[in-house]
Amino acid sequence: MLTLATRNDYPTLLDAESLADYDAIAITFVASDQEAIQVTRREFRQHVLRFGHLIAQNGVSDGDLVIIAHTHTLTSIYAFWGAMAIGAIPSMFPTLTEKLDPEIYKRDLTKLVTLSDVKSIITDDSFAPTIADLPCTILTASHLDTEIPLAQVHSARPDSIAFLQHSSGTTGLQKGVALSHRAVLNQLASYSDALAISNDDIIVSWLPLYHDMGLIAGFLLPLIQGIPLVLMSPFDWVAHPALLLRAIDDYGGTLCWLPNFAYNHMARRIRKRDRADFSLRTMRAFINCSEPVHLGSHQAFLNTFSTNEITEKHFAVSYAMAENTFAVTQTVIGEVAKVDYVNQQKLEELNTAEVDPQGVTIVSCGKATHNTAIRIINDEENDLAERHVGEVCIKSDCMLTEYYNRPDLEPFVAGWYRTGDMGYLADGELYIIGRKKDIIINAGKNVYPQDIEAIVNAVDGVHRGRCVVFGVFDDRDGTERIAVVAEIDNTIAVDEKSLKKQIRQQIAQQSTVTASYVTLVDERWLIKTSSGKIARGANREKWLSEFASS
């Protein structure tokens, strides 16, 4: 068990439980259409080291960058560890899905290969021909066979780069967050302490491995700690959301990380007759992370699954980012996450979070994990007092070494990482408001588009999770107007004129602003990043080119 007291027992990730040679179950892979696959630690080690030998045979050596873009989750895991085992630097990349434009996807991958000097890409047979002309080695699992020998495990140094996590963007995955073995082990030790991890825990995850939450919490944490992991494909979970909750019941899951939308997705999509098939009594916590946390999402999940033995104490929250390996904060497991009620007018006009029992709700992200410090600063880089909103800055022993092959990007200012997130501290707990770059200045008010998007997403007729809000500067009024673009839910009959009116009314009733522009678009009009998030800047530019003059 990796704890604060024994973190020095593991100089590198390759020294921990991940490659142990014994028959305990390491991973159980479940799917909606097949029998579960159970992989022992001995089998895991063999798969990993065979992949390592294959990668090394194809010219990859110590320090080379290897991109894994494979649709099969287990294959991706074996390839990732195989590359790391021989001293290469692996990085998970989103796979091509029907929601991504193939040409844009290949363009982004090409940029990454050039920018980061990628040595090899591991992908599946169906996609390999599409990228065959890239200037790197293309490998697939079909190159493996049972006769391939096991690679020798590389002797890594604690401060050498273990792997990259790539930040998503609309112009390619350009920022490779380089993390050392020491930084990752420090994160896992601190976060395990915050979670009170024990040998009785079982982690259940559907999360994609190219995202820091899936890679660290839903993959590395259990493998390094030597506790069981129950895993499934994110594509399978989206189509069959009950799969996750049944897996928790079947295998006694205790911890599960979810982005905010997942609570709504399961509450809406899991049918009543299916909810009778499972119990969630073994769970210690569902941890909300990676998106703005909305109290209503927790309440919707609780209302739907209370008969499955869920209470409000099961809802925990973490604030995390790839640059810190993962978690910056964590609420106390088993305790109800704090909810702050603040005066909306003073929040928008004075950047202060004054307590107001009738005000807007903001859910706490918890206190900083061990060896992590948080400060809130203004534009002049001065520290702000509690309940004053500013940019969140962090410092820890688990931060990135650098942005890989990007000497033009300096991640630290006087030893602190400026996150670009806006928030405040109250009683030592962190509350996140939104992204600094996304703030809309409307008639002197700071408007956070995520708040307006939450309102729009709740309107019947809008495709849930498929709207974007941004500011459009008005020269005549000298301020930004609020623009809303929402995709229509094609599963129900929608009167567009009525829907627009309803969106405007809900925004006016639930906030202190009005929407100047409401545009309804067809399914898949909105641009997403390679990691599946709505690309605010790119959609703003697309809207300006198509609708601003009309």
Side-chain angles (χ1 to χ4, degrees):
M1 175 63 62
L2 181 67
T3 66
L4 289 175
T6 61
R7 73 173 71 200
N8 292 330
D9 292 348
Y10 302 102
T12 75
L13 294 168
L14 298 173
D15 299 309
E17 286 289 316
S18 54
L19 296 180
D21 189 11
Y22 56 86
D23 287 327
I25 299 298
I27 303 173
T28 300
F29 187 81
V30 298
S32 58
D33 58 354
Q34 65 184 44
E35 292 292 321
I37 300 171
Q38 291 195 313
V39 182
T40 67
R41 291 197 171 271
R42 177 172 289 114
E43 291 168 336
F44 178 79
R45 182 176 183 274
Q46 291 171 347
H47 284 301
V48 164
L49 296 183
R50 283 200 177 95
F51 242 116
H53 186 85
L54 171 67
I55 295 168
Q57 268 191 326
N58 283 272
V60 177
S61 58
D62 185 16
D64 287 337
L65 181 58
V66 176
I67 297 299
I68 294 99
H70 206 287
T71 55
H72 194 286
T73 305
L74 284 176
T75 301
S76 295
I77 285 175
Y78 301 148
F80 183 94
W81 275 101
M84 191 161 57
I86 65 165
I89 301 172
S91 183
M92 295 289 190
F93 194 88
T95 53
L96 180 62
T97 69
E98 60 180 15
K99 293 184 178 181
L100 297 176
D101 185 307
E103 292 185 7
I104 294 176
Y105 179 88
K106 185 179 179 181
R107 179 200 68 190
D108 291 349
L109 192 56
T110 302
K111 286 183 179 180
L112 179 60
V113 168
T114 303
L115 185 69
S116 296
D117 191 23
V118 174
K119 187 72 172 181
S120 181
I121 296 175
I122 299 172
T123 188
D124 50 38
D125 290 328
S126 62
F127 187 58
T130 305
I131 58 173
D133 57 341
L134 293 184
C136 62
T137 303
I138 309 300
L139 296 175
T140 71
S142 62
H143 291 94
L144 282 171
D145 64 62
T146 56
E147 302 304 317
I148 288 182
L150 305 184
Q152 292 295 314
V153 179
H154 173 74
S155 180
R157 301 182 308 277
D159 289 318
S160 63
I161 297 173
F163 57 84
L164 305 187
Q165 296 188 98
H166 277 92
S167 299
S168 61
T170 59
T171 56
L173 301 190
Q174 296 188 355
K175 290 200 300 185
V177 176
L179 297 167
S180 70
H181 288 269
R182 189 191 306 276
V184 177
L185 287 170
N186 284 341
Q187 163 71 201
L188 297 180
S190 298
Y191 198 38
S192 295
D193 187 57
L195 298 168
I197 287 283
S198 78
N199 291 318
D200 295 326
D201 278 309
I202 295 173
I203 289 173
V204 184
S205 179
W206 61 267
L207 298 167
L209 299 175
Y210 56 76
H211 191 281
D212 58 339
M213 183 163 57
L215 185 70
I216 305 301
F219 168 30
L220 289 178
L221 177 63
L223 284 177
I224 294 298
Q225 292 287 36
I227 60 177
L229 169 63
V230 180
L231 201 58
M232 63 197 67
S233 159
F235 308 112
D236 200 359
W237 173 79
V238 168
H240 309 98
L243 181 65
L244 178 75
L245 304 187
R246 289 202 184 96
I248 289 171
D249 184 29
D250 289 343
Y251 297 96
T254 61
L255 293 170
C256 179
W257 283 259
L258 299 170
N260 191 83
F261 87 88
Y263 296 86
N264 300 79
H265 182 65
M266 288 189 285
R268 289 197 315 270
R269 290 286 305 277
I270 298 177
R271 296 168 296 186
K272 186 175 181 179
R273 66 174 180 269
D274 294 330
R275 298 199 295 270
D277 293 345
F278 53 78
S279 167
L280 304 174
R281 64 184 180 279
T282 60
M283 284 297 293
R284 290 208 293 130
F286 290 98
I287 302 171
N288 197 330
C289 188
S290 91
E291 291 184 335
V293 177
H294 294 284
L295 183 61
S297 299
H298 288 180
Q299 292 172 334
F301 191 88
L302 177 62
N303 292 341
T304 304
F305 299 108
S306 59
T307 56
N308 302 93
E309 301 183 69
I310 282 293
T311 72
E312 60 181 0
K313 290 184 178 181
H314 284 98
F315 299 112
V317 180
S318 178
Y319 170 64
M321 63 185 52
E323 284 81 357
N324 195 55
T325 303
F326 182 56
V328 176
T329 69
Q330 177 63 52
T331 59
V332 178
I333 302 299
E335 296 184 8
V336 179
K338 293 181 180 178
V339 179
D340 212 15
Y341 295 83
V342 302
N343 185 285
Q344 186 169 7
Q345 182 177 0
K346 292 187 177 180
L347 184 68
E348 294 172 348
E349 297 177 2
L350 302 177
N351 278 330
T352 59
E354 182 175 305
V355 176
D356 179 356
Q358 305 304 315
V360 295
T361 59
I362 305 174
V363 182
S364 170
C365 294
K367 294 183 178 181
T369 58
H370 184 82
N371 281 359
T372 299
I374 299 173
R375 56 192 288 234
I376 308 296
I377 65 171
N378 58 18
D379 290 339
E380 290 73 40
E381 299 184 13
N382 297 318
D383 288 326
L384 296 174
E386 283 208 343
R387 293 197 168 276
H388 283 72
V389 176
E391 184 175 1
V392 179
C393 298
I394 62 174
K395 180 190 287 188
S396 78
D397 62 1
C398 48
M399 301 214 71
L400 76 163
T401 301
E402 62 182 357
Y403 287 118
Y404 190 75
N405 274 13
R406 294 297 304 271
D408 56 312
L409 298 176
E410 172 52 58
F412 302 106
V413 178
W416 291 81
Y417 176 73
R418 296 183 62 161
T419 66
D421 289 322
M422 301 294 286
Y424 64 93
L425 291 167
D427 298 324
E429 302 210 7
L430 180 64
Y431 295 80
I432 296 296
I433 306 297
R435 292 289 292 168
K436 184 177 183 179
K437 68 179 181 179
D438 293 336
I439 293 176
I440 302 167
I441 311 298
N442 175 257
K445 298 176 182 177
N446 291 332
V447 179
Y448 293 90
Q450 295 93 338
D451 296 338
I452 308 301
E453 288 164 358
I455 295 170
V456 177
N457 275 320
V459 176
D460 289 337
V462 172
H463 187 161
R464 298 289 194 272
R466 300 289 293 177
C467 80
V468 66
V469 174
F470 47 80
V472 179
F473 191 76
D474 187 290
D475 291 320
R476 184 180 60 186
D477 291 342
T479 190
E480 285 186 291
R481 293 184 177 274
I482 295 171
V484 176
V485 182
E487 289 186 2
I488 297 171
D489 184 351
N490 292 324
T491 64
I492 61 175
V494 173
D495 179 85
E496 293 192 20
K497 183 176 180 180
S498 175
L499 180 55
K500 284 185 178 183
K501 181 179 179 181
Q502 195 173 3
I503 289 171
R504 292 181 189 275
Q505 286 177 340
Q506 290 301 313
I507 293 172
Q509 290 171 7
Q510 298 183 51
S511 74
T512 62
V513 298
T514 57
S516 297
Y517 311 100
V518 175
T519 305
L520 300 178
V521 293
D522 293 329
E523 186 179 358
R524 298 187 186 176
W525 186 94
L526 291 175
I527 300 170
K528 282 190 167 187
T529 69
S530 296
S531 60
K533 295 182 178 180
I534 299 294
R536 197 181 310 281
N539 282 299
R540 181 180 183 276
E541 294 305 313
K542 184 176 182 180
W543 182 86
L544 287 171
S545 67
E546 293 187 21
F547 296 105
S549 59
S550 59

PDB file of all heavy atoms in Angstrom, residues 108 111-112 115-116 166-177 403-406 409:
ATOM      1  N   ASP A 108      -4.818  17.216 -36.458  1.00  0.00           N
ATOM      2  CA  ASP A 108      -4.328  17.404 -35.095  1.00  0.00           C
ATOM      3  C   ASP A 108      -3.248  16.391 -34.746  1.00  0.00           C
ATOM      4  O   ASP A 108      -2.244  16.719 -34.100  1.00  0.00           O
ATOM      5  CB  ASP A 108      -5.491  17.290 -34.100  1.00  0.00           C
ATOM      6  CG  ASP A 108      -6.461  18.461 -34.197  1.00  0.00           C
ATOM      7  OD1 ASP A 108      -6.136  19.440 -34.877  1.00  0.00           O
ATOM      8  OD2 ASP A 108      -7.550  18.371 -33.583  1.00  0.00           O
ATOM      9  N   LYS A 111      -0.036  17.392 -36.436  1.00  0.00           N
ATOM     10  CA  LYS A 111       0.609  18.491 -35.705  1.00  0.00           C
ATOM     11  C   LYS A 111       1.354  17.968 -34.486  1.00  0.00           C
ATOM     12  O   LYS A 111       2.463  18.406 -34.185  1.00  0.00           O
ATOM     13  CB  LYS A 111      -0.433  19.526 -35.268  1.00  0.00           C
ATOM     14  CG  LYS A 111      -0.962  20.407 -36.372  1.00  0.00           C
ATOM     15  CD  LYS A 111      -1.931  21.427 -35.803  1.00  0.00           C
ATOM     16  CE  LYS A 111      -2.455  22.354 -36.888  1.00  0.00           C
ATOM     17  NZ  LYS A 111      -3.407  23.359 -36.345  1.00  0.00           N
ATOM     18  N   LEU A 112       0.727  17.044 -33.782  1.00  0.00           N
ATOM     19  CA  LEU A 112       1.347  16.489 -32.583  1.00  0.00           C
ATOM     20  C   LEU A 112       2.615  15.724 -32.931  1.00  0.00           C
ATOM     21  O   LEU A 112       3.639  15.849 -32.249  1.00  0.00           O
ATOM     22  CB  LEU A 112       0.360  15.570 -31.860  1.00  0.00           C
ATOM     23  CG  LEU A 112       0.870  14.883 -30.589  1.00  0.00           C
ATOM     24  CD1 LEU A 112       1.288  15.916 -29.557  1.00  0.00           C
ATOM     25  CD2 LEU A 112      -0.190  13.964 -30.024  1.00  0.00           C
ATOM     26  N   LEU A 115       5.236  18.450 -33.835  1.00  0.00           N
ATOM     27  CA  LEU A 115       5.591  19.329 -32.725  1.00  0.00           C
ATOM     28  C   LEU A 115       6.356  18.592 -31.637  1.00  0.00           C
ATOM     29  O   LEU A 115       7.324  19.116 -31.077  1.00  0.00           O
ATOM     30  CB  LEU A 115       4.320  19.955 -32.133  1.00  0.00           C
ATOM     31  CG  LEU A 115       4.495  20.999 -31.039  1.00  0.00           C
ATOM     32  CD1 LEU A 115       5.113  22.270 -31.603  1.00  0.00           C
ATOM     33  CD2 LEU A 115       3.157  21.318 -30.392  1.00  0.00           C
ATOM     34  N   SER A 116       5.933  17.374 -31.339  1.00  0.00           N
ATOM     35  CA  SER A 116       6.511  16.648 -30.211  1.00  0.00           C
ATOM     36  C   SER A 116       7.499  15.566 -30.622  1.00  0.00           C
ATOM     37  O   SER A 116       7.972  14.828 -29.773  1.00  0.00           O
ATOM     38  CB  SER A 116       5.372  16.013 -29.383  1.00  0.00           C
ATOM     39  OG  SER A 116       4.545  17.004 -28.826  1.00  0.00           O
ATOM     40  N   HIS A 166      -1.801  15.150 -22.453  1.00  0.00           N
ATOM     41  CA  HIS A 166      -1.965  16.256 -23.393  1.00  0.00           C
ATOM     42  C   HIS A 166      -3.213  17.064 -23.084  1.00  0.00           C
ATOM     43  O   HIS A 166      -4.304  16.522 -22.955  1.00  0.00           O
ATOM     44  CB  HIS A 166      -2.010  15.745 -24.831  1.00  0.00           C
ATOM     45  CG  HIS A 166      -0.664  15.519 -25.422  1.00  0.00           C
ATOM     46  ND1 HIS A 166      -0.024  14.299 -25.372  1.00  0.00           N
ATOM     47  CD2 HIS A 166       0.201  16.363 -26.046  1.00  0.00           C
ATOM     48  CE1 HIS A 166       1.157  14.403 -25.942  1.00  0.00           C
ATOM     49  NE2 HIS A 166       1.320  15.631 -26.356  1.00  0.00           N
ATOM     50  N   SER A 167      -3.018  18.380 -22.958  1.00  0.00           N
ATOM     51  CA  SER A 167      -4.153  19.277 -22.770  1.00  0.00           C
ATOM     52  C   SER A 167      -4.890  19.404 -24.092  1.00  0.00           C
ATOM     53  O   SER A 167      -4.273  19.506 -25.150  1.00  0.00           O
ATOM     54  CB  SER A 167      -3.683  20.663 -22.303  1.00  0.00           C
ATOM     55  OG  SER A 167      -3.017  20.569 -21.075  1.00  0.00           O
ATOM     56  N   SER A 168      -6.220  19.409 -24.020  1.00  0.00           N
ATOM     57  CA  SER A 168      -7.007  19.482 -25.247  1.00  0.00           C
ATOM     58  C   SER A 168      -7.126  20.919 -25.714  1.00  0.00           C
ATOM     59  O   SER A 168      -7.011  21.866 -24.950  1.00  0.00           O
ATOM     60  CB  SER A 168      -8.402  18.910 -25.016  1.00  0.00           C
ATOM     61  OG  SER A 168      -9.089  19.655 -24.033  1.00  0.00           O
ATOM     62  N   GLY A 169      -7.346  21.075 -27.014  1.00  0.00           N
ATOM     63  CA  GLY A 169      -7.518  22.402 -27.582  1.00  0.00           C
ATOM     64  C   GLY A 169      -8.190  22.292 -28.931  1.00  0.00           C
ATOM     65  O   GLY A 169      -8.376  21.207 -29.464  1.00  0.00           O
ATOM     66  N   THR A 170      -8.521  23.420 -29.512  1.00  0.00           N
ATOM     67  CA  THR A 170      -9.219  23.419 -30.796  1.00  0.00           C
ATOM     68  C   THR A 170      -8.243  23.448 -31.961  1.00  0.00           C
ATOM     69  O   THR A 170      -8.637  23.348 -33.104  1.00  0.00           O
ATOM     70  CB  THR A 170     -10.152  24.635 -30.887  1.00  0.00           C
ATOM     71  OG1 THR A 170      -9.359  25.816 -30.735  1.00  0.00           O
ATOM     72  CG2 THR A 170     -11.197  24.591 -29.811  1.00  0.00           C
ATOM     73  N   THR A 171      -6.956  23.591 -31.694  1.00  0.00           N
ATOM     74  CA  THR A 171      -5.965  23.615 -32.765  1.00  0.00           C
ATOM     75  C   THR A 171      -4.956  22.494 -32.575  1.00  0.00           C
ATOM     76  O   THR A 171      -3.774  22.637 -32.828  1.00  0.00           O
ATOM     77  CB  THR A 171      -5.234  24.971 -32.790  1.00  0.00           C
ATOM     78  OG1 THR A 171      -4.657  25.223 -31.497  1.00  0.00           O
ATOM     79  CG2 THR A 171      -6.190  26.089 -33.122  1.00  0.00           C
ATOM     80  N   GLY A 172      -5.416  21.350 -32.092  1.00  0.00           N
ATOM     81  CA  GLY A 172      -4.527  20.218 -31.885  1.00  0.00           C
ATOM     82  C   GLY A 172      -4.099  20.107 -30.443  1.00  0.00           C
ATOM     83  O   GLY A 172      -4.152  21.066 -29.687  1.00  0.00           O
ATOM     84  N   LEU A 173      -3.679  18.914 -30.052  1.00  0.00           N
ATOM     85  CA  LEU A 173      -3.247  18.700 -28.679  1.00  0.00           C
ATOM     86  C   LEU A 173      -1.797  19.144 -28.565  1.00  0.00           C
ATOM     87  O   LEU A 173      -0.874  18.373 -28.728  1.00  0.00           O
ATOM     88  CB  LEU A 173      -3.418  17.231 -28.285  1.00  0.00           C
ATOM     89  CG  LEU A 173      -4.840  16.692 -28.388  1.00  0.00           C
ATOM     90  CD1 LEU A 173      -4.933  15.326 -27.748  1.00  0.00           C
ATOM     91  CD2 LEU A 173      -5.830  17.626 -27.738  1.00  0.00           C
ATOM     92  N   GLN A 174      -1.601  20.427 -28.313  1.00  0.00           N
ATOM     93  CA  GLN A 174      -0.278  20.999 -28.453  1.00  0.00           C
ATOM     94  C   GLN A 174       0.517  21.052 -27.155  1.00  0.00           C
ATOM     95  O   GLN A 174       1.737  21.196 -27.204  1.00  0.00           O
ATOM     96  CB  GLN A 174      -0.384  22.416 -29.029  1.00  0.00           C
ATOM     97  CG  GLN A 174      -0.964  22.422 -30.432  1.00  0.00           C
ATOM     98  CD  GLN A 174      -0.886  23.781 -31.073  1.00  0.00           C
ATOM     99  OE1 GLN A 174      -0.480  24.749 -30.457  1.00  0.00           O
ATOM    100  NE2 GLN A 174      -1.283  23.868 -32.323  1.00  0.00           N
ATOM    101  N   LYS A 175      -0.140  20.992 -26.005  1.00  0.00           N
ATOM    102  CA  LYS A 175       0.585  21.124 -24.749  1.00  0.00           C
ATOM    103  C   LYS A 175       0.694  19.765 -24.066  1.00  0.00           C
ATOM    104  O   LYS A 175      -0.256  19.279 -23.470  1.00  0.00           O
ATOM    105  CB  LYS A 175      -0.104  22.126 -23.823  1.00  0.00           C
ATOM    106  CG  LYS A 175       0.001  23.565 -24.306  1.00  0.00           C
ATOM    107  CD  LYS A 175      -0.233  24.575 -23.200  1.00  0.00           C
ATOM    108  CE  LYS A 175      -1.588  24.441 -22.568  1.00  0.00           C
ATOM    109  NZ  LYS A 175      -1.845  25.507 -21.572  1.00  0.00           N
ATOM    110  N   GLY A 176       1.872  19.167 -24.178  1.00  0.00           N
ATOM    111  CA  GLY A 176       2.112  17.889 -23.522  1.00  0.00           C
ATOM    112  C   GLY A 176       2.605  18.128 -22.110  1.00  0.00           C
ATOM    113  O   GLY A 176       3.711  18.634 -21.896  1.00  0.00           O
ATOM    114  N   VAL A 177       1.805  17.774 -21.123  1.00  0.00           N
ATOM    115  CA  VAL A 177       2.172  17.955 -19.724  1.00  0.00           C
ATOM    116  C   VAL A 177       3.107  16.817 -19.335  1.00  0.00           C
ATOM    117  O   VAL A 177       2.690  15.662 -19.245  1.00  0.00           O
ATOM    118  CB  VAL A 177       0.916  17.969 -18.826  1.00  0.00           C
ATOM    119  CG1 VAL A 177       1.305  18.065 -17.359  1.00  0.00           C
ATOM    120  CG2 VAL A 177      -0.005  19.124 -19.221  1.00  0.00           C
ATOM    121  N   TYR A 403       6.186  21.749 -20.193  1.00  0.00           N
ATOM    122  CA  TYR A 403       5.376  21.421 -21.359  1.00  0.00           C
ATOM    123  C   TYR A 403       6.330  20.843 -22.408  1.00  0.00           C
ATOM    124  O   TYR A 403       7.255  21.514 -22.853  1.00  0.00           O
ATOM    125  CB  TYR A 403       4.645  22.646 -21.894  1.00  0.00           C
ATOM    126  CG  TYR A 403       3.497  23.098 -21.024  1.00  0.00           C
ATOM    127  CD1 TYR A 403       3.502  24.359 -20.427  1.00  0.00           C
ATOM    128  CD2 TYR A 403       2.414  22.262 -20.788  1.00  0.00           C
ATOM    129  CE1 TYR A 403       2.447  24.775 -19.628  1.00  0.00           C
ATOM    130  CE2 TYR A 403       1.354  22.672 -19.991  1.00  0.00           C
ATOM    131  CZ  TYR A 403       1.381  23.933 -19.414  1.00  0.00           C
ATOM    132  OH  TYR A 403       0.336  24.335 -18.622  1.00  0.00           O
ATOM    133  N   TYR A 404       6.095  19.602 -22.764  1.00  0.00           N
ATOM    134  CA  TYR A 404       7.048  18.832 -23.570  1.00  0.00           C
ATOM    135  C   TYR A 404       7.325  19.500 -24.915  1.00  0.00           C
ATOM    136  O   TYR A 404       6.401  19.846 -25.675  1.00  0.00           O
ATOM    137  CB  TYR A 404       6.465  17.429 -23.802  1.00  0.00           C
ATOM    138  CG  TYR A 404       7.422  16.447 -24.407  1.00  0.00           C
ATOM    139  CD1 TYR A 404       8.431  15.881 -23.639  1.00  0.00           C
ATOM    140  CD2 TYR A 404       7.311  16.072 -25.736  1.00  0.00           C
ATOM    141  CE1 TYR A 404       9.314  14.953 -24.187  1.00  0.00           C
ATOM    142  CE2 TYR A 404       8.167  15.144 -26.295  1.00  0.00           C
ATOM    143  CZ  TYR A 404       9.180  14.595 -25.514  1.00  0.00           C
ATOM    144  OH  TYR A 404      10.036  13.671 -26.062  1.00  0.00           O
ATOM    145  N   ASN A 405       8.618  19.695 -25.203  1.00  0.00           N
ATOM    146  CA  ASN A 405       9.071  20.307 -26.458  1.00  0.00           C
ATOM    147  C   ASN A 405       8.457  21.684 -26.695  1.00  0.00           C
ATOM    148  O   ASN A 405       8.286  22.096 -27.841  1.00  0.00           O
ATOM    149  CB  ASN A 405       8.769  19.396 -27.660  1.00  0.00           C
ATOM    150  CG  ASN A 405       9.865  18.386 -27.898  1.00  0.00           C
ATOM    151  OD1 ASN A 405      10.739  18.191 -27.054  1.00  0.00           O
ATOM    152  ND2 ASN A 405       9.838  17.724 -29.043  1.00  0.00           N
ATOM    153  N   ARG A 406       8.107  22.383 -25.625  1.00  0.00           N
ATOM    154  CA  ARG A 406       7.561  23.732 -25.759  1.00  0.00           C
ATOM    155  C   ARG A 406       8.329  24.712 -24.871  1.00  0.00           C
ATOM    156  O   ARG A 406       7.823  25.178 -23.850  1.00  0.00           O
ATOM    157  CB  ARG A 406       6.068  23.743 -25.399  1.00  0.00           C
ATOM    158  CG  ARG A 406       5.161  22.972 -26.327  1.00  0.00           C
ATOM    159  CD  ARG A 406       5.163  23.540 -27.745  1.00  0.00           C
ATOM    160  NE  ARG A 406       4.808  24.935 -27.799  1.00  0.00           N
ATOM    161  CZ  ARG A 406       3.552  25.383 -27.926  1.00  0.00           C
ATOM    162  NH1 ARG A 406       2.556  24.516 -28.004  1.00  0.00           N
ATOM    163  NH2 ARG A 406       3.301  26.671 -27.993  1.00  0.00           N
ATOM    164  N   LEU A 409       6.713  27.983 -23.691  1.00  0.00           N
ATOM    165  CA  LEU A 409       5.674  28.018 -22.665  1.00  0.00           C
ATOM    166  C   LEU A 409       6.307  27.784 -21.297  1.00  0.00           C
ATOM    167  O   LEU A 409       6.850  26.722 -21.026  1.00  0.00           O
ATOM    168  CB  LEU A 409       4.616  26.942 -22.927  1.00  0.00           C
ATOM    169  CG  LEU A 409       3.822  27.060 -24.234  1.00  0.00           C
ATOM    170  CD1 LEU A 409       2.891  25.865 -24.378  1.00  0.00           C
ATOM    171  CD2 LEU A 409       3.038  28.363 -24.282  1.00  0.00           C
TER     172      LEU A 409
END
